[in-house]
Amino acid sequence: MIPIISIVGKSNSGKTTLIEKIVPELMRRGYRVTTVKHDFHGFEIDKEGKDSWRHKRAGAHGVIISSPQKVALIRDVDRDMSLEELRDSFGGDADLILSEGFKSDVQPKVEVFRKEEHGELLCTKEDNLVAIASNRPFDIGIPCLDIDDVKGIVDLIESKFLKGGRREDIALSINGKRISLSPFVKRFLMRSIKGMVSCLKGAENPKRIEIKID
Amino acid sequence: MIPIISIVGKSNSGKTTLIEKIVPELMRRGYRVTTVKHDFHGFEIDKEGKDSWRHKRAGAHGVIISSPQKVALIRDVDRDMSLEELRDSFGGDADLILSEGFKSDVQPKVEVFRKEEHGELLCTKEDNLVAIASNRPFDIGIPCLDIDDVKGIVDLIESKFLKGGRREDIALSINGKRISLSPFVKRFLMRSIKGMVSCLKGAENPKRIEIKID
């Protein structure tokens, strides 16, 4: 599955700025990054008066705008989705999901800290904190990198989450609900399905398999 | 699979206006509609200066904005996607995909025609035209409804594409590429996978099944 890392930190700590620095460095190394931003207050994204905006205003549950360069989708949901759900539904062909915020999610986190702004860290090791990017040292048993050491931060992300091959996993949804699977059932389903499809033409070396029955 | 219908017509024939009328009527009947609009020239959708806009500008391949009410996704693509590909990637839990335009796509079409604007139809029966919504009659062997008869147009869409149960189908992608399957292989895969998952807890009555192995 696509690995997920959250860049967290108190307000004004520099989360967006750090993401703006590490995304190009990840790109330079050949990775496709999809970022996630939470918006507590809802958001307006399409431009008033555009056809797609008129579709949505008329009550469309979702609107897709397609062009040769990019695709946009706006869809109603009935609750906040977890990073795992967002990855499964919208991750597509990314190599890495990088979220800004999502402190309460279970995914691994890098905290941004600037001593001018705050006195204490937002997270502890128990929050699945894997590194700190800060302009003062912290000695709490996790790597603490300089906030401006973009190469070092990306090295850490790369070695921990991108190198050494992706951990193969399976996600199964039935009628829109994610089904939790034991390690044995996961292995059973993965091997059975891989075996079934691998004899099809064009499917000789199946790495990423997506199946929809509907 | 989610049925797809395209509302086509020459420029200024009233495609968006018709969509604005039929979406609320479909909603009233309990259907979730996702619309699709093609944008030939690319588009700017996010607001300059927003964090998600900064992520994308920094080079993110995709950006997801998540709120409790809706989710937006903007993702780079390397070519125009067909309606079938858009449905498979972004259709989610919709009951119907309604596109504006996409005349060259293979999907069934309803043509909007207004005699004040044009002299001839855009499509023929060979374009998979299933109905005409017009303010003058046409006698070309397909239903021609009054452009203002929203109920009649939605009745036709409902009876042709939404009533009588969805035609069950399977879509398989390997490493991001759609694999074409013969009817026999489709049946074989559908029944095998349904059988395998139907003994899992929470999967007793599998209608919509989504599997990702990665």
Side-chain angles (χ1 to χ4, degrees):
Chain A
M1 287 293 152
I2 309 168
I4 304 171
I5 302 156
S6 297
I7 306 296
V8 300
K10 292 186 177 174
S11 62
N12 228 21
S13 53
K15 297 186 287 292
T16 312
T17 304
L18 184 66
I19 288 175
E20 283 180 314
K21 289 176 183 167
I22 61 182
V23 165
E25 177 62 21
L26 283 159
M27 265 179 78
R28 210 185 52 74
R29 300 187 191 189
Y31 299 108
R32 289 182 177 193
V33 183
T34 284
T35 65
V36 186
K37 171 78 191 182
H38 192 269
D39 194 311
F40 293 91
H41 313 293
F43 53 88
E44 276 313 316
I45 192 168
D46 206 357
K47 293 204 169 51
E48 192 169 329
K50 278 189 59 176
D51 292 347
S52 45
W53 178 87
R54 289 171 61 187
H55 295 177
K56 192 84 192 69
R57 191 190 50 172
H61 171 63
V63 174
I64 298 167
I65 309 163
S66 172
S67 84
Q69 295 81 34
K70 54 186 170 181
V71 173
L73 165 71
I74 304 165
R75 187 193 296 160
D76 291 342
V77 293
D78 55 8
R79 61 187 168 78
D80 252 328
M81 290 171 82
S82 70
L83 288 171
E84 192 180 56
E85 290 173 313
L86 290 167
R87 176 199 47 204
D88 293 346
S89 295
F90 307 110
D93 53 353
D95 298 303
L96 178 71
I97 306 279
L98 199 63
S99 83
E100 177 171 338
F102 286 82
K103 191 247 176 189
S104 336
D105 208 290
V106 295
Q107 303 298 331
K109 295 169 187 73
V110 173
E111 175 162 353
V112 194
F113 184 91
R114 284 194 301 136
K115 63 182 180 208
E116 301 80 13
E117 294 292 333
H118 298 287
E120 282 170 32
L121 286 170
L122 175 70
C123 295
T124 65
K125 268 168 111 167
E126 286 65 47
D127 295 308
N128 200 3
L129 192 63
V130 296
I132 302 164
S134 165
N135 60 357
R136 60 150 274 209
F138 281 95
D139 187 12
I140 60 163
I142 25 179
C144 183
L145 292 111
D146 189 278
I147 198 170
D148 291 318
D149 180 13
V150 175
K151 200 184 153 298
I153 296 165
V154 172
D155 282 348
L156 183 138
I157 291 173
E158 191 175 31
S159 68
K160 222 172 160 67
F161 299 99
L162 295 163
K163 280 271 167 78
R166 212 181 257 188
R167 200 171 58 81
E168 193 182 54
D169 204 355
I170 182 167
L172 169 69
S173 293
I174 306 280
N175 308 335
K177 215 177 116 246
R178 175 81 178 249
I179 305 293
S180 75
L181 303 169
S182 71
F184 169 77
V185 174
K186 282 190 176 192
R187 268 200 316 280
F188 172 78
L189 286 176
M190 280 196 285
R191 292 195 191 165
S192 310
I193 291 169
K194 276 202 161 185
M196 278 199 285
V197 305
S198 62
C199 55
L200 298 170
K201 211 178 149 188
E204 289 78 9
N205 185 20
K207 285 202 161 39
R208 189 155 56 91
I209 302 176
E210 285 171 275
I211 296 172
K212 283 196 184 188
I213 299 175
D214 193 5
Chain B
M1 288 294 154
I2 309 169
I4 304 172
I5 302 156
S6 297
I7 306 297
V8 300
K10 293 187 179 175
S11 63
N12 228 21
S13 52
K15 297 186 286 295
T16 313
T17 304
L18 184 66
I19 288 176
E20 283 180 313
K21 289 177 184 167
I22 61 182
V23 165
E25 178 61 22
L26 284 160
M27 265 180 79
R28 210 186 51 76
R29 300 187 190 189
Y31 300 108
R32 289 181 177 193
V33 183
T34 285
T35 65
V36 185
K37 172 79 192 180
H38 193 267
D39 195 313
F40 292 91
H41 313 293
F43 53 87
E44 275 313 315
I45 192 166
D46 207 358
K47 292 205 169 51
E48 191 169 330
K50 276 190 62 177
D51 293 346
S52 45
W53 178 89
R54 289 170 61 185
H55 295 178
K56 193 81 192 67
R57 190 189 51 171
H61 171 64
V63 174
I64 299 166
I65 309 164
S66 172
S67 84
Q69 295 81 34
K70 54 186 169 182
V71 173
L73 164 71
I74 304 164
R75 187 193 296 160
D76 292 341
V77 292
D78 54 10
R79 61 188 168 79
D80 252 329
M81 291 171 82
S82 69
L83 287 171
E84 191 180 56
E85 290 173 313
L86 291 167
R87 174 196 53 201
D88 292 348
S89 295
F90 306 110
D93 53 355
D95 298 303
L96 178 71
I97 306 279
L98 199 62
S99 83
E100 178 171 336
F102 287 81
K103 191 248 175 187
S104 337
D105 208 288
V106 296
Q107 303 298 331
K109 295 168 187 72
V110 174
E111 174 161 353
V112 194
F113 183 91
R114 284 194 301 136
K115 61 182 180 208
E116 299 81 12
E117 294 291 334
H118 299 286
E120 284 171 30
L121 286 170
L122 174 71
C123 295
T124 66
K125 267 168 113 171
E126 285 64 48
D127 294 309
N128 200 2
L129 193 63
V130 296
I132 302 164
S134 166
N135 59 357
R136 60 151 272 208
F138 282 95
D139 187 12
I140 60 163
I142 24 178
C144 182
L145 293 112
D146 188 278
I147 198 170
D148 291 319
D149 180 12
V150 175
K151 200 185 152 294
I153 296 167
V154 173
D155 282 348
L156 183 138
I157 291 173
E158 191 175 30
S159 68
K160 219 170 165 65
F161 299 99
L162 295 162
K163 280 273 167 75
R166 212 180 259 187
R167 200 171 58 82
E168 194 183 54
D169 203 355
I170 181 167
L172 169 68
S173 293
I174 305 280
N175 308 336
K177 213 176 118 251
R178 176 81 177 249
I179 304 294
S180 75
L181 304 169
S182 71
F184 170 76
V185 174
K186 281 191 176 191
R187 268 201 317 280
F188 173 78
L189 286 176
M190 279 196 285
R191 291 194 192 167
S192 308
I193 292 169
K194 276 204 160 181
M196 278 200 284
V197 305
S198 63
C199 55
L200 297 170
K201 211 178 149 187
E204 290 79 8
N205 185 21
K207 286 205 161 34
R208 190 155 56 91
I209 303 176
E210 286 171 274
I211 296 171
K212 283 195 184 189
I213 299 175
D214 193 4

